[in-house]
Amino acid sequence: MRDAAAGDPESRADFCRLYEPVIQAYLQARWKLPAGHDDLRDAIQDVFLQCFKPAGALQRVDASQAGGFRAFLYGIARNVARGAEATRRKTSRQGGSPELEVEPFDETSASRVFDHAFARVITREARRLLAERARPG
């Protein structure tokens, strides 16, 4: 995470590979959109932009805070989603036709989806690292 925050391209690619499924699962649960939807892809990219921009979120992460990195990433994803929803509501009020329909949703359910996806990613990565360390040589 520190290397990704410092701008290391390989670390950033690894960070995106690990956490994109978590962010996607949360946004899909929140917005009820299919994978690959433009609004979904845009929001996922915006989460990573918030993480990697100069003086961005990853440079401010404090793993000692309650909830650790999981809560931190969840907060970024939730804030990006809220921003996208506010933009869509404003566009709609101005007579535009937003693709993203903001419907009432259960934040608790969306949060549980995020937690489950996060746990799957962490478990998969832990297995990968253990297998890598167990290889002879």
Side-chain angles (χ1 to χ4, degrees):
M1 196 174 329
R2 279 179 284 216
D3 292 340
D8 177 63
E10 187 175 329
S11 296
R12 285 184 173 191
D14 287 344
F15 183 89
C16 291
R17 175 187 53 79
L18 279 173
Y19 297 114
E20 182 175 1
V22 177
I23 297 162
Q24 179 173 320
Y26 169 72
L27 293 172
Q28 280 184 276
R30 186 176 178 117
W31 293 337
K32 297 177 181 34
L33 292 175
H37 191 280
D38 287 343
D39 287 325
L40 189 61
R41 285 195 315 255
D42 289 348
I44 292 167
Q45 291 301 312
D46 196 26
V47 170
F48 291 127
L49 177 64
Q50 294 305 312
C51 288
F52 298 141
K53 69 183 182 180
L58 269 187
Q59 293 180 357
R60 296 186 312 269
V61 70
D62 180 359
S64 69
Q65 290 294 315
F69 180 69
R70 187 221 60 87
F72 186 79
L73 185 61
Y74 175 76
I76 296 167
R78 185 184 61 216
N79 289 342
V80 166
R82 286 177 176 170
E85 292 161 5
T87 298
R88 296 310 188 274
R89 282 191 294 274
K90 183 178 177 184
T91 300
S92 182
R93 282 194 304 268
Q94 293 174 346
S97 154
E99 281 198 32
L100 175 63
E101 294 298 323
V102 180
E103 300 175 15
F105 68 97
D106 179 4
E107 182 68 49
T108 302
S109 293
S111 175
R112 268 195 296 269
V113 168
F114 183 94
D115 289 343
H116 290 169
F118 193 86
R120 280 191 304 274
V121 162
I122 296 303
T123 302
R124 185 175 56 238
E125 185 65 6
R127 279 194 306 260
R128 185 190 70 75
L129 289 171
L130 287 171
E132 185 179 292
R133 290 178 182 159
R135 277 188 232 129

